[in-house]
Amino acid sequence: MIECPFCIAEIDDDALACRHCTRDLTNQVYILRKVADLQRAVADLTSRLAAADSLATTAPPKIEPERSAPKGTAIAVDVADLAGLALGPTALLIGAHYLFALHLGLHPVALLFATLLIPLPFGFLAIARTKRGLIYWGAAFLIASFVSVIVMGVSTYWSVRLSAEFVPGMEAFMSPLPQTKAGWLQDFHYALSVFFSFTTGMLLAVLYLRARLPDHPKNAFLKSNFAFIGRSLVTVLSPPTIERLSRYATSVTTIATTGGAIYFGIGKL
């Protein structure tokens, strides 16, 4: 059906005259047919667009599943991180002990500075460059600290045993491990000094991520670590103390661990 251009009444597509107003449509019928075709095409496109919009608003978004790394690859990455960031500083600490204390015979203050400085960058990199958090690396560095101190004592024992100044019979007065409570306590304090230096590096990385990379995805993970540690401290500290510490928790803890590293390191002198 088309519309008469004179009376706007609907007439047949093939009509040559309007049956309502009796006007001759011979010259207009071709144009009227094209207009009718265009109107039908527009109506069809409009309905299709409406249908497409309704599907876009009702269909759930397609979420691609996350592709996690193969288990073997994740384990290999963890082993590589542990080897580089935990065993690496352990070897450097033992080497510094041998070089400064046994080979060069430097003042113990030189070894104290090495003890404070060597673990710092490794603690920083462990948090800033890996996917693991404070609890994981804290446990790894705690083990590395005690292993370092024990191996230092063993290396001192064998260095003396193999030296030219060793006199037969001196082994009765020597031992690779402490033989008294005071000796074990001294080594314990020394290991704490190394561990606190690692911890200071980790906390400096936390402060760096918060200040320079606030949108870094690891910030949320580290926040959950602090929440776990905070819940553990509830049974030890009073609520007012926790409230005061929570305001500047990371900065206060960084200062405290630095002081602890220095204090327990001096105890070894």
Side-chain angles (χ1 to χ4, degrees):
M1 302 292 288
I2 59 176
E3 290 183 351
C4 173
F6 300 104
C7 66
I8 318 180
E10 288 189 350
I11 57 177
D12 294 333
D13 293 342
D14 299 329
L16 299 177
C18 178
R19 67 173 181 268
H20 300 282
C21 64
T22 68
R23 297 289 186 93
D24 182 25
L25 303 178
T26 304
N27 298 327
Q28 293 87 5
V29 68
Y30 176 78
I31 297 175
L32 293 175
R33 289 173 184 172
K34 291 296 182 181
V35 170
D37 292 340
L38 290 174
Q39 288 176 340
R40 283 192 291 268
V42 169
D44 182 59
L45 287 175
T46 303
S47 62
R48 290 185 181 183
L49 288 175
D53 289 340
S54 63
L55 288 176
T57 55
T58 57
K62 186 178 180 181
I63 301 175
E64 294 291 338
E66 293 186 1
R67 296 182 179 180
S68 57
K71 188 175 181 180
T73 304
I75 294 175
V77 170
D78 283 343
V79 171
D81 289 341
L82 283 173
L85 297 173
L87 297 181
T90 301
L92 289 175
L93 287 168
I94 296 170
H97 171 75
Y98 176 81
L99 179 64
F100 294 166
L102 303 179
H103 184 67
L104 298 178
L106 299 179
H107 193 277
V109 173
L111 183 59
L112 172 61
F113 277 110
T115 302
L116 295 177
L117 295 178
I118 289 175
L120 274 173
F122 290 94
F124 184 93
L125 292 175
I127 297 301
R129 297 298 183 185
T130 70
K131 295 182 179 180
R132 297 292 186 173
L134 292 169
I135 299 173
Y136 175 89
W137 282 113
F141 289 144
L142 184 63
I143 295 173
S145 301
F146 280 93
V147 169
S148 300
V149 173
I150 291 174
V151 175
M152 286 178 192
V154 174
S155 64
T156 301
Y157 170 80
W158 283 107
S159 177
V160 175
R161 284 290 303 267
L162 300 175
S163 66
E165 292 81 11
F166 180 76
V167 178
M170 288 180 59
E171 64 270 12
F173 305 96
M174 298 174 57
S175 173
L177 297 176
Q179 298 299 304
T180 63
K181 181 179 179 181
W184 279 109
L185 186 61
Q186 187 180 35
D187 282 358
F188 177 75
H189 286 171
Y190 191 32
L192 283 183
S193 173
V194 176
F195 173 68
F196 282 145
S197 184
F198 276 122
T199 306
T200 301
M202 290 192 293
L203 294 175
L204 288 174
V206 173
L207 292 173
Y208 170 79
L209 290 175
R210 286 182 179 176
R212 298 298 181 89
L213 303 171
D215 297 328
H216 196 282
K218 194 165 186 179
N219 283 320
F221 179 56
L222 293 173
K223 186 176 180 181
S224 66
N225 283 180
F226 275 112
F228 175 80
I229 297 172
R231 288 193 297 270
S232 302
L233 291 175
V234 168
T235 58
V236 180
L237 303 177
S238 62
T241 304
I242 295 175
E243 177 64 26
R244 288 193 295 270
L245 290 178
S246 63
R247 298 175 185 174
Y248 307 101
T250 307
S251 300
V252 170
T253 309
T254 304
I255 295 172
T257 54
T258 305
I262 297 173
Y263 173 79
F264 289 115
I266 291 176
K268 181 69 175 177
L269 299 180

